[in-house]
Amino acid sequence: MLALYHNDMSACAQKVRLCLAEKGLEWESRHMNLRAGEHQQEWYIKLNRRAVVPTLIHDDVAVQESNIINEYLDEQFPNPPLMPPNSLGRAQVRLWTIQLDEDIHDACIAILSFGIAFRYQYIERGEAGQKMLEQIPNIFKRERRRDVIDKGMDSMHFRIAVQRMEKLLNEMQLALSQHKWLVGDDYTIADAAFTPYITRLEHLNILGMIDSRPKVVDWYKRIKDRPSFEAGIVQWENADYLKLMKGNGAQAWPKVQAIVKSL
Ligand SMILES: N[C@@H](CCC(=O)N[C@@H](CS)C(=O)NCC(=O)O)C(=O)O
């Protein structure tokens, strides 16, 4: 039995749903409302000490961390394989995915999302929003988020996030100039892992960031043609979140462009 504690619009959950879809696996949905703080309740922290989604349940075990979950799924359900057959290929996949944990997720795409859109949900909630912020266990993540909620796109973390995203997109363009997918000529966990981050740019109405990288544009088109994109991302889209992101994103685009130009 497979079950997933996840959230409809969470990039880390999207990444695991893509992998489940690529493998054609059946799973039970245990959806968590992050803005209601469901992931910060005691029972869930026992399953996931960082108080984040996703968490995979496989029979009687719980597995945390989206990149680790995807590798776990690949080992437990090897067909079709989503990891290269050799050590070097697997090392290359991990060199891509480690970047998401190092900085792309929390310090980059989350900061862009909060700076452009989600900060308004926290501000609207007043004290309840403040309480949720205080309950984020990781101090670096908490303080960065506090700053971007307070200052929006004027936070220095917002500018750093745009700069880091530019570097990533350049690296993707280079890799995709050398082979069809991020690691070689087969689709791997690395492609699944980076999909939600490019989709987030689209949802935030700042997908123009990839326009000057034709290989990335082509990769994203091929990603969207795969049935897993529909099953892992599109079917779970939340109309309210999309409206918030798209609307604020349209206004944010000139500011993002100005930051890119100034780099
Ligand atoms: N490194 C973790 C990151 C998980 C993570 O940050 N999840 C976000 C959603 S994409 C979350 O649960 N956020 C809730 C919060 O930050 O309070 C993973 O890859 O699973």
Side-chain angles (χ1 to χ4, degrees):
M1 186 278 294
L2 286 172
L4 189 68
Y5 288 94
H6 68 132
N7 170 266
D8 45 16
M9 296 300 282
S10 141
C12 303
Q14 288 168 332
K15 187 198 297 182
V16 173
R17 292 197 305 257
L18 286 172
C19 184
L20 288 162
E22 286 286 340
K23 290 193 171 279
L25 294 167
E26 297 286 328
W27 55 281
E28 180 189 309
S29 164
R30 299 189 185 165
H31 190 263
M32 309 284 281
N33 182 343
L34 300 184
R35 294 300 173 262
E38 282 183 355
H39 59 304
Q40 293 179 332
Q41 292 172 21
E42 226 178 290
W43 68 266
Y44 184 70
I45 293 176
K46 283 188 186 140
L47 276 180
N48 188 313
R49 70 180 174 85
R50 292 188 178 88
V52 289
V53 293
T55 302
L56 178 81
I57 305 295
H58 182 204
D59 296 333
D60 52 357
V61 299
V63 186
Q64 302 79 13
E65 289 294 322
S66 55
N67 293 322
I68 294 174
I69 294 172
N70 279 354
E71 287 206 34
Y72 175 88
L73 286 171
D74 196 59
E75 284 181 21
Q76 293 285 321
F77 307 95
N79 287 314
L82 293 180
M83 283 294 264
N86 51 58
S87 304
L88 182 61
R90 290 194 290 277
Q92 284 167 339
V93 166
R94 291 175 186 132
L95 286 169
W96 277 104
T97 57
I98 198 174
Q99 298 185 57
L100 297 171
D101 291 326
E102 279 171 349
D103 45 22
I104 300 291
H105 181 75
D106 272 337
C108 193
I109 217 74
I111 291 300
L112 294 181
S113 304
F114 272 83
I116 292 174
F118 297 156
R119 66 189 287 253
Y120 298 107
Q121 296 174 323
Y122 271 69
I123 293 168
E124 250 174 40
R125 285 202 169 94
E127 265 184 36
Q130 189 65 30
K131 193 170 163 223
M132 278 189 62
L133 183 65
E134 301 305 341
Q135 281 178 346
I136 293 176
N138 180 312
I139 189 171
F140 300 106
K141 173 174 167 177
R142 185 168 68 236
E143 295 312 318
R144 248 192 328 253
R145 190 163 298 180
R146 190 192 308 281
D147 198 67
V148 86
I149 288 172
D150 283 353
K151 302 181 187 142
M153 291 187 285
D154 291 327
S155 162
M156 68 179 253
H157 298 293
F158 190 87
R159 184 185 164 81
I160 293 169
V162 172
Q163 189 168 2
R164 179 66 182 91
M165 202 64 198
E166 283 284 299
K167 182 172 186 285
L168 170 70
L169 293 173
N170 286 341
E171 287 170 4
M172 288 178 74
Q173 168 71 13
L174 183 65
L176 294 164
S177 309
Q178 291 161 355
H179 26 74
K180 187 172 170 194
W181 297 102
L182 285 176
V183 178
D185 286 330
D186 294 314
Y187 178 98
T188 66
I189 279 178
D191 299 289
F194 278 84
T195 296
Y197 296 89
I198 305 303
T199 301
R200 179 58 59 90
L201 297 183
E202 183 174 12
H203 287 166
L204 287 170
N205 236 331
I206 56 172
L207 187 63
M209 285 185 82
I210 72 171
D211 283 353
S212 58
R213 283 111 176 164
K215 295 289 179 187
V216 181
V217 172
D218 176 67
W219 171 86
Y220 191 46
K221 190 183 167 308
R222 285 184 284 117
I223 287 278
K224 288 175 103 175
D225 286 343
R226 296 175 81 86
S228 61
F229 189 81
E230 175 72 27
I233 297 193
V234 178
Q235 275 179 20
W236 291 94
E237 281 174 357
N238 175 321
D240 289 343
Y241 274 55
L242 280 187
K243 195 169 155 216
L244 177 72
M245 287 196 274
K246 290 248 179 232
N248 287 297
Q251 290 168 31
W253 178 230
K255 171 89 180 175
V256 172
Q257 279 178 301
I259 295 175
V260 171
K261 252 195 191 146
S262 73
L263 294 173

